[in-house]
Amino acid sequence: QVQLMESGGGSVQAGGSLRLSCTASGNTYNSACMGWFRQSPGKAREGVAALYTLGITAWYADSVKGRFSISHDNAKRTLYLQMNSLKPEDAAMYYCAADVPSSNCNSRDWSSKRYNYWGQGTQVTVSS
């Protein structure tokens, strides 16, 4: 029903910036819980940030607060993750996810809830 395609990953030096994009295709939608997750080898997947597409707030992992910003452009059907002041520990495979229709999209549940659509991932490497 919905396909997610990520782009924008790459290799940067510590302190640099990257902007990840995730464009949705398939069935038209106007409300969803959407987020970014990341996973490095041998580590569990962790939530990075999420938002509700019709809301005005977003939620972030403590480790990225103040450095990352998530946003969504409904017209372009694209989710973004602006990453600034990157650190070596930010290196990971980054995945976008969407839950359509949305449920439990709030500050308490966003990182642990189930998402029914996932992108293929885009690699982010940060050198010190």
Side-chain angles (χ1 to χ4, degrees):
Q1 292 180 291
V2 177
Q3 296 80 45
L4 304 176
M5 181 65 70
E6 296 152 305
S7 63
S11 180
V12 299
Q13 191 172 4
S17 299
L18 282 174
R19 188 181 74 163
L20 307 184
S21 300
C22 180
T23 299
S25 60
N27 291 354
T28 300
Y29 69 95
N30 55 25
S31 65
C33 191
M34 302 192 71
W36 289 95
F37 294 77
R38 66 187 182 187
Q39 185 170 27
S40 57
K43 302 292 184 180
R45 177 184 293 166
E46 65 173 341
V48 178
L51 55 71
Y52 177 57
T53 57
L54 296 182
I56 58 174
T57 60
W59 310 285
Y60 299 89
D62 289 340
S63 60
V64 306
K65 287 181 178 178
R67 300 188 297 120
F68 291 11
S69 179
I70 186 172
S71 61
H72 183 257
D73 186 327
N74 281 325
K76 296 183 178 180
R77 304 185 69 185
T78 300
L79 181 74
Y80 301 98
L81 183 67
Q82 178 66 48
M83 305 186 294
N84 299 322
S85 302
L86 283 162
K87 305 175 180 179
E89 51 263 45
D90 293 319
M93 184 73 76
Y94 282 72
Y95 302 88
C96 62
D99 186 36
V100 184
S102 177
S103 64
N104 298 317
C105 196
N106 54 63
S107 62
R108 181 192 66 194
D109 301 321
W110 71 268
S111 63
S112 60
K113 70 183 300 300
R114 299 182 70 181
Y115 292 80
N116 49 15
Y117 299 100
W118 291 84
Q120 82 291 340
T122 185
Q123 183 69 50
V124 172
T125 301
V126 184
S127 59
S128 60

